[in-house]
Amino acid sequence: MPRITQLSTRLFLASILYITMSITHANPTKLGGDFELTSHKGEAFHLSDIEGKVGIIFFGFTHCPDVCPNTLLEIQRLIVTLEDQAEHMQVLFISVDPKRDTPEKLDSYVTYFNKNIIGLTGSEEDIAKVLKQFNASVKFSGDTTSNTYNVEHTANMFLINKQGDIGSIILPRTPFAVLEQQVRKLIEE
């Protein structure tokens, strides 16, 4: 019985990898590209600033109740798992909620998960432009004049190769082993 379980697990991982690679390679030239936002330290940041490293871009917001903290915990797990190879990677957390996510707020949020994660924000127009570049979306609901509105957003992780292009897209609920494999592959390229 354990042999069947191993086989079905491998088939499941292979199918997730196939789907991920199919989405990534469908038309990768239309996605991504350099951008300029403001870091959680209040400094201008360009995607090209990490050229030569593998990047992980994740869109989220600091008031997120579950998806964002869970994804950032998974990314922290990846950083620990990669050990010395983690220095060849840079995680970028791009806020989709610039109204509430100031650089100061992002600073305390991202450094809670890992001091090397860079939190990014900007004007609503700047964020909308970056979302469009990555074919990501955000939707606000509730009273947006208060501080208690809801935000729905794309929860993919975009893996950026050392040249600054999208190397892979990790969908929500992708097994950790697939994420680790894809990042290691990009680091070794």
Side-chain angles (χ1 to χ4, degrees):
M1 187 73 166
R3 197 168 159 91
I4 292 172
T5 304
Q6 287 178 344
L7 180 59
S8 49
T9 300
R10 287 183 183 174
L11 287 172
F12 175 74
L13 291 174
S15 65
I16 292 292
L17 182 59
Y18 174 76
I19 291 167
T20 302
M21 296 307 289
S22 297
I23 290 169
T24 302
H25 296 295
N27 202 347
T29 58
K30 290 193 174 190
L31 294 179
D34 203 8
F35 55 77
E36 180 179 347
L37 293 172
T38 303
S39 78
H40 67 272
K41 298 296 183 189
E43 302 165 347
F45 179 90
H46 299 84
L47 181 60
S48 58
D49 292 343
I50 68 164
E51 193 169 325
K53 288 188 173 189
V54 170
I56 298 179
I57 294 177
F58 178 69
F59 295 95
F61 64 110
T62 62
H63 287 75
C64 184
D66 47 25
V67 173
C68 301
N70 288 337
T71 301
L72 289 169
L73 286 171
E74 181 128 325
I75 290 171
Q76 171 59 19
R77 177 180 171 201
L78 176 67
I79 292 168
V80 170
T81 302
L82 290 175
E83 296 176 341
D84 292 342
Q85 285 189 311
E87 68 187 31
H88 303 288
M89 180 182 75
Q90 181 61 63
V91 179
L92 306 174
F93 177 81
I94 300 177
S95 172
V96 297
D97 188 11
K99 178 181 171 188
R100 294 185 288 193
D101 290 346
T102 63
E104 297 79 22
K105 179 78 174 175
L106 279 172
D107 184 37
S108 62
Y109 187 76
V110 297
T111 57
Y112 172 80
F113 294 97
N114 187 286
K115 64 181 176 62
N116 294 319
I117 296 174
I118 297 175
L120 297 170
T121 189
S123 69
E124 289 181 18
E125 296 79 22
D126 292 339
I127 299 298
K129 181 181 173 191
V130 176
L131 285 166
K132 185 175 181 180
Q133 285 177 241
F134 287 85
N135 197 28
S137 63
V138 64
K139 180 182 174 187
F140 298 93
S141 61
D143 182 6
T144 57
T145 61
S146 74
N147 201 28
T148 59
Y149 53 88
N150 297 315
V151 183
E152 294 177 34
H153 60 90
T154 298
N156 297 336
M157 283 186 264
F158 297 88
L159 305 186
I160 309 301
N161 66 24
K162 294 176 184 178
Q163 294 75 40
D165 301 317
I166 293 178
S168 187
I169 299 173
I170 303 296
L171 304 175
R173 294 184 202 86
T174 296
F176 179 80
V178 174
L179 170 63
E180 180 186 356
Q181 180 212 17
Q182 290 297 300
V183 171
R184 285 188 188 278
K185 178 182 167 195
L186 291 173
I187 288 172
E188 292 167 7
E189 287 182 347

